[in-house]
Amino acid sequence: LLLLLLLTVKKKANKQYFIVFLQFFHLPSISLHFPPLPFHSASPSSPLLSEIMIRSLVSAKWLQEKLLVEGAASSIRVIDASYHLPIWNRNPHEDFLKEHIPGSTFFDIDAVCDHSTGLPHMLPSPDIFQDEMRKAGITNDHHIVVYDATHLGIFSSPRFWWMARVFGHNKVSVLDGGLLQWKKLGFELSSGPEAEYPPSNYLVKDFHTNHVVDLETIKKNIAKREHAVLDARSLGRYQGVDPEPREGISSGHIPNSKSLPFTNLLDNDNHVMKSVEGIKQEFSNVGVALDGDTQLLPPCIATCGTGVTASVIAFAAHLVKEAQGEENADFFVPVYDGAWCEYAEVEKDNIHTTASSDCNCNDKK
């Protein structure tokens, strides 16, 4: 039987099924040189594949069951990466102390960042991220599930998802609906300080600089138009008719960019991500095809106010490509990290508003 199975292993997916067979019968697979498999999943299309792939979006029910079954020995670590806009008048850490998912730790994107630029919560250096993971007791083998506690369900958690993947930690998922969905289902909550874990020896093994875009790239793209720049801010801010949430910054948009408010990618009635088909439609509305090829047509750059909700665009695109096949597991949309806060400050004389011919008014809200 083993020989027969070996002879029929021709594709990567078949190898994975075979490893599951070996593991089920406690048979060694080392000599076959197959890679180890992460046994985590979300809402899989196949029961067997569900045990092989780490999904980028997981449900509250899935997380609750995993934590309940695995207990203290869980290979999952939960992170609250909440961030609130200044106009919301909320403190995310104070909210965390009031209520959070049991066993979770708090990740402050305003603290764990590059403070040298003067811009809000810029991507930290690999050393800073590594130190934070070590202090939180997270290892390279942990499957991180990140959530936020905003009233939107999903807002800042994709920012941590994007950050982790920039530093090569692909075992990371966003909790669909965040704390809002967790509470809606009546699951247990904790209060007080975050959970404490022994420090780890976490090591940043990769730094994918191609996941990040700087101002110079944006300026060159204005002329060359090689990438579609998708703006996740509200349509009013994009058009320049609504104020920015930060004082001293003009609203408007980068020339040749398109408006794709991140809320268009959410099921706002249920505070969760839209379906894959719904996400594809939103990208199609701004002239971007997510079908077929492993790349977007045209290729895209995501932007917003400070790099937070741009990550929702990057995350949504990844969900679609992930659903199209395992070969797209490394697919990414780069994020302009300085975002509108940097652009509007440096390029004050090159801001477009409602009257601009490139305005793309696709906001349905």
Side-chain angles (χ1 to χ4, degrees), residues 231 234-240 252-253 257-259 358-360:
D231 193 327
S234 68
L235 182 61
R237 290 165 64 187
Y238 171 90
Q239 291 178 322
H253 61 269
S257 63
K258 298 184 177 184
S259 174
D358 59 314
C359 179
N360 180 68

Side-chain angles (χ1 to χ4, degrees), residues 1 4 25 35 43 53 57 68 78 89 94 112 117 126-127 157 198 214 227 231 235 254 275 281 286 304 345:
L1 178 59
L4 178 61
F25 288 104
S43 51
M53 297 175 65
L57 185 69
L68 192 64
V78 183
N89 295 317
E94 289 180 0
V112 187
T117 65
D127 286 343
S157 48
D214 60 13
H227 292 75
D231 193 327
L235 182 61
I254 298 168
S275 67
Q281 184 59 55
V286 294
C304 60
E345 179 64 28

Side-chain angles (χ1 to χ4, degrees), residues 86-345:
I87 58 174
W88 292 350
N89 295 317
R90 290 178 59 185
N91 183 304
H93 188 252
E94 289 180 0
D95 288 348
F96 177 87
L97 295 175
K98 293 176 183 176
E99 55 181 13
H100 54 261
I101 294 175
S104 60
T105 56
F106 183 76
F107 186 93
D108 189 344
I109 67 171
D110 276 330
V112 187
C113 66
D114 180 359
H115 294 279
S116 67
T117 65
L119 295 168
H121 38 253
M122 292 288 282
L123 181 73
S125 68
D127 286 343
I128 291 175
F129 183 80
Q130 178 175 281
D131 288 346
E132 188 65 19
M133 294 298 97
R134 289 180 174 183
K135 287 189 292 184
I138 293 172
T139 71
N140 292 84
D141 293 326
H142 274 123
H143 175 189
I144 301 172
V145 176
V146 60
Y147 73 92
D148 61 71
T150 64
H151 60 287
L152 298 168
I154 293 180
F155 178 69
S156 57
S157 48
R159 171 70 182 190
F160 179 90
W161 172 89
W162 169 79
M163 188 186 303
R165 293 184 68 91
V166 167
F167 295 123
H169 195 115
N170 289 354
K171 296 178 182 178
V172 57
S173 306
V174 170
L175 181 63
D176 203 9
L179 188 66
L180 206 62
Q181 187 70 10
W182 183 270
K183 292 169 62 177
K184 180 180 178 180
L185 295 176
F187 295 147
E188 180 184 359
L189 291 168
S190 292
S191 60
E194 59 187 327
E196 294 186 3
Y197 300 98
S200 74
N201 59 350
Y202 187 93
L203 184 66
V204 171
K205 299 178 180 179
D206 295 295
F207 184 19
H208 299 299
T209 55
N210 57 343
H211 289 34
V212 192
V213 166
D214 60 13
L215 178 60
E216 288 306 309
T217 302
I218 293 295
K219 289 165 65 176
K220 290 177 182 177
N221 189 69
I222 291 173
K224 294 183 176 181
R225 300 195 185 195
E226 293 178 341
H227 292 75
V229 177
L230 305 181
D231 193 327
R233 295 173 301 150
S234 68
L235 182 61
R237 290 165 64 187
Y238 171 90
Q239 291 178 322
V241 297
D242 290 340
E244 289 294 308
R246 289 171 178 78
E247 294 182 6
I249 300 177
S250 301
S251 56
H253 61 269
I254 298 168
N256 305 327
S257 63
K258 298 184 177 184
S259 174
L260 178 54
F262 79 96
T263 50
N264 283 14
L265 301 169
L266 306 180
D267 174 350
N268 293 288
D269 292 331
N270 297 298
H271 307 290
V272 294
M273 292 296 297
K274 275 188 175 178
S275 67
V276 165
E277 290 303 316
I279 292 171
K280 284 168 60 177
Q281 184 59 55
E282 294 299 335
F283 275 85
S284 177
N285 290 345
V286 294
V288 176
L290 275 166
D291 279 318
D293 193 73
T294 55
Q295 299 300 317
L296 296 183
L297 297 174
C300 296
I301 295 171
T303 187
C304 60
T306 64
V308 173
T309 56
S311 302
V312 178
I313 290 179
F315 178 66
H318 181 87
L319 290 180
V320 174
K321 303 310 290 186
E322 182 180 82
Q324 290 173 355
E326 189 186 354
E327 66 274 11
N328 298 321
D330 295 328
F331 172 83
F332 67 93
V333 168
V335 168
Y336 172 29
D337 199 25
W340 187 248
C341 274
E342 179 181 44
Y343 185 88
E345 179 64 28

Side-chain angles (χ1 to χ4, degrees), residues 28-85:
S29 60
I30 298 174
S31 61
L32 300 176
H33 303 290
F34 291 156
L37 297 177
F39 281 82
H40 304 296
S41 68
S43 51
S45 58
S46 159
L48 192 53
L49 279 179
S50 73
E51 296 304 308
I52 295 172
M53 297 175 65
I54 289 182
R55 302 284 184 174
S56 293
L57 185 69
V58 300
S59 69
K61 185 176 185 295
W62 177 89
L63 177 61
Q64 192 267 349
E65 289 176 351
K66 286 294 272 189
L67 295 178
L68 192 64
V69 170
E70 296 184 2
S74 178
S75 57
I76 294 174
R77 284 296 171 82
V78 183
I79 287 180
D80 180 331
S82 296
Y83 164 77
H84 301 314
L85 288 174

